[in-house]
Amino acid sequence: MEDVLRIGGVGVDVLAATYGTPLYIYDQHAIEERMEDYRRYFHSDVLHCEVLYASKAFCIQEMMRLAKRHDLSLDVVSGGELYTALAAGVDPKRIYFHGNNKSPREIEEALQAGVGTLIVDNVMEGECLCAQMSQRTGEVHVLLRVNPGVTAHTHEYIVTAHDDSKFGISIHEQEAIVRLIERFSQTAGIVFDGFHAHIGSQIFEREAFETEIAILGRFLAELQHTYGIEAHSLDVGGGFAVRYTDADAPIPLPQLCQTITAACERQKQLHGLALERILIEPGRSIVAQAGLTLYTVGFQKQTAHRHYLFVDGGMSDNIRPALYQAAYACDVANRMNDPKTVRTCVAGKCCESGDVLIEEVMLPPCQAGDLLAVYTTGAYGFSMASHYNRLPRPAVVFIKDGQARCVVRRESYADLLRGEDVET
Ligand SMILES: *Cc1c(COP(=O)(O)O)cnc(C)c1O
């Protein structure tokens, strides 16, 4: 191996010199390959299959363009994400609009733009939508978000009858659901397609999805056989795990897709469901592993128990360690062959004791000016970045065929002042 880490054939030292640090670096080929893999493996002979990229994981115009090029639909959760998708030229019919508290303005923007599908999250939203649609022409498809009482996060999932999640209507509130669907059917312009559920994030267990789909299958059967309500579409959400460190062993994508399609086919057959179409919404698992963050090493210090290595970013460009105790792997990217002899704590430069990117990792001895690469930061890194401590947001570069392209320029100090036009 060379001493300097390369991404898509380009040395990270060259990228640091050209674009500065901190820097989000994406292997574009890896993103596109992942999109193609989802399209290839999420397939059924019985059901029509559709893949939505959950854009909140990493929402910039260039990502939207890649999703479009690879024939993925998009899931957006706000007027801002919708605006980004439309600006990138995405067909509004391929956009699915989520969110538990869409504002009247956001709903209006979505209808105005001709967004294909709204995912209605609660009864109040459903009633507002009916009222809004009765005032206008046009058509919108609707999926109703239900809560199957399965919540999954990393290595655990639980099944409960009483779910206090802020998202979706509990499947146990059958009467409210039936009443709302009746309202939909009485409202011109609303086409009720079926249901949506999303059980969590960074899920490693196939059984979690099998359980979710079995519960949803029984729920669909009851609605169909008791109330004559036919759901033609079922969106089972995202949350598919990725590998952050060697401790993570995500379900390989072919098996994951097969688990979901087989479980849905089985429910259709078992209950004689009217189901025709299934959807999934991967976010993290499309972009996380294609991205890394490159930092420059600054000062170091030795305490009684720790060797600290400080980098020129931190929780402002990656909040996940502070927010979820998320674990990451890293390397000193210009010393790839040096023996890793120093037990190191990698900390950021923000004014918070919790601004630690990696609690403990073995690294080679290094010095100021070295480059540190933190892997698998492609999802929920840039998209959750903040201006905390007035740090300008880093640039984003995409690498493909040995060529680097800046897709988001580094913010300047002047950018930080934008909008501060004080009223007099
Ligand atoms: C966040 C979210 C996703 C994507 O989750 P990932 O963990 O990034 O795959 C999909 N659907 C809904 C409704 C979500 O809220």
Side-chain angles (χ1 to χ4, degrees):
M1 202 206 281
E2 291 173 60
D3 284 331
V4 176
L5 176 67
R6 286 173 169 274
I7 304 297
V10 183
V12 295
D13 52 345
V14 175
L15 295 171
T18 311
Y19 300 103
T21 60
L23 182 66
Y24 297 107
I25 303 170
Y26 286 83
D27 180 341
Q28 184 182 330
H29 180 70
I31 299 174
E32 295 188 83
E33 202 171 51
R34 198 75 177 158
M35 289 177 165
E36 283 299 310
D37 282 350
Y38 265 108
R39 297 276 297 130
R40 181 176 315 127
Y41 293 118
F42 190 56
H43 171 83
S44 159
D45 293 328
V46 183
L47 296 159
H48 178 78
C49 293
E50 189 168 338
V51 180
L52 282 53
Y53 168 56
S55 62
K56 72 174 194 261
F58 178 43
C59 184
I60 63 167
Q61 291 180 77
E62 191 58 18
M63 270 305 290
M64 305 294 200
R65 288 187 203 108
L66 291 183
K68 181 180 167 182
R69 188 183 308 161
H70 294 279
D71 203 31
L72 267 55
S73 300
L74 278 186
D75 139 1
V76 302
V77 299
S78 72
E81 287 190 354
L82 173 61
Y83 183 81
T84 307
L86 294 172
V90 171
D91 175 2
K93 294 273 159 284
R94 300 290 299 269
I95 298 178
Y96 292 72
F97 195 168
H98 279 277
N100 66 304
N101 191 27
K102 305 175 190 76
S103 70
R105 177 178 157 182
E106 285 175 323
I107 296 175
E108 188 53 39
E109 285 166 354
L111 296 175
Q112 202 85 53
V115 161
T117 305
L118 290 182
I119 290 88
V120 169
D121 205 276
N122 52 63
V123 174
M124 248 177 114
E125 182 192 347
E127 286 168 352
C128 280
L129 181 65
C130 290
Q132 230 160 324
M133 284 307 288
S134 60
Q135 305 293 316
R136 57 182 302 139
T137 56
E139 188 181 275
V140 69
H141 291 254
V142 163
L143 292 174
L144 191 57
R145 178 161 184 173
V146 289
N147 196 323
V150 180
T151 48
H153 188 64
T154 61
H155 293 284
E156 279 169 45
Y157 75 95
I158 46 171
V159 182
T160 55
H162 306 284
D163 199 306
D164 296 322
S165 164
K166 75 171 190 174
F167 296 109
I169 309 174
S170 166
I171 54 165
H172 301 293
E173 292 176 35
Q174 238 177 49
E175 269 179 40
I177 291 170
V178 169
R179 231 179 300 131
L180 189 56
I181 293 169
E182 276 167 6
R183 283 283 317 263
F184 290 153
S185 66
Q186 290 156 4
T187 308
I190 294 187
V191 183
F192 172 72
D193 281 346
F195 295 95
H196 167 273
H198 173 75
I199 59 171
S201 62
Q202 187 65 355
I203 302 167
F204 287 90
E205 283 133 331
R206 293 214 270 202
E207 294 77 20
F209 298 109
E210 285 168 344
T211 304
E212 175 199 7
I213 292 165
I215 292 173
L216 289 171
R218 270 200 304 278
F219 166 72
L220 293 187
E222 272 182 53
L223 286 194
Q224 188 174 320
H225 299 136
T226 312
Y227 301 96
I229 292 170
E230 292 190 345
H232 296 289
S233 300
L234 180 65
D235 181 339
V236 300
F240 315 127
V242 302
R243 181 191 300 274
Y244 283 102
T245 70
D246 287 342
D248 298 328
I251 314 163
L253 204 130
Q255 278 99 301
L256 169 74
C257 291
Q258 208 267 337
T259 298
I260 292 171
T261 52
C264 292
E265 287 169 10
R266 181 172 147 63
Q267 291 303 312
K268 178 179 168 68
Q269 208 223 353
L270 188 65
H271 300 293
L273 299 178
L275 190 62
E276 289 168 2
R277 190 171 71 124
I278 54 175
L279 304 89
I280 51 173
E281 304 173 326
R284 185 191 317 269
S285 77
I286 284 186
V287 277
Q289 289 182 249
L292 64 78
T293 312
L294 191 68
Y295 301 97
T296 300
V297 173
F299 301 129
Q300 302 178 52
K301 83 166 185 182
Q302 185 69 47
T303 67
H305 304 291
R306 279 184 154 178
H307 182 80
Y308 276 106
L309 181 152
F310 302 136
V311 295
D312 57 350
M315 64 190 292
S316 47
D317 58 74
N318 186 1
I319 189 73
R320 294 190 66 259
L323 197 57
Y324 314 117
Q325 285 78 52
Y328 286 89
C330 70
D331 273 312
V332 178
N334 56 316
R335 299 181 188 275
M336 296 298 284
N337 295 314
D338 290 13
K340 298 177 175 182
T341 54
V342 186
R343 194 172 300 279
T344 308
C345 173
V346 179
K349 64 179 278 140
C350 295
C351 298
E352 279 286 334
S353 298
D355 180 27
V356 167
L357 288 173
I358 300 175
E359 280 289 338
E360 193 178 290
V361 59
M362 293 303 289
L363 290 177
C366 53
Q367 59 195 49
D370 281 347
L371 297 170
L372 188 93
V374 176
Y375 300 111
T376 324
T377 57
Y380 305 106
F382 180 87
S383 69
M384 291 182 131
S386 75
H387 284 143
Y388 184 51
N389 290 173
R390 229 36 172 170
L391 299 183
R393 270 183 310 216
V396 181
V397 293
F398 277 24
I399 317 290
K400 190 171 183 189
D401 300 330
Q403 293 287 337
R405 259 174 341 124
C406 182
V407 294
V408 181
R409 69 164 170 76
R410 182 174 304 282
E411 284 182 331
S412 64
Y413 289 143
D415 288 329
L416 296 173
L417 305 188
R418 209 173 34 175
E420 291 185 22
D421 316 309
V422 178
E423 287 184 2
T424 51

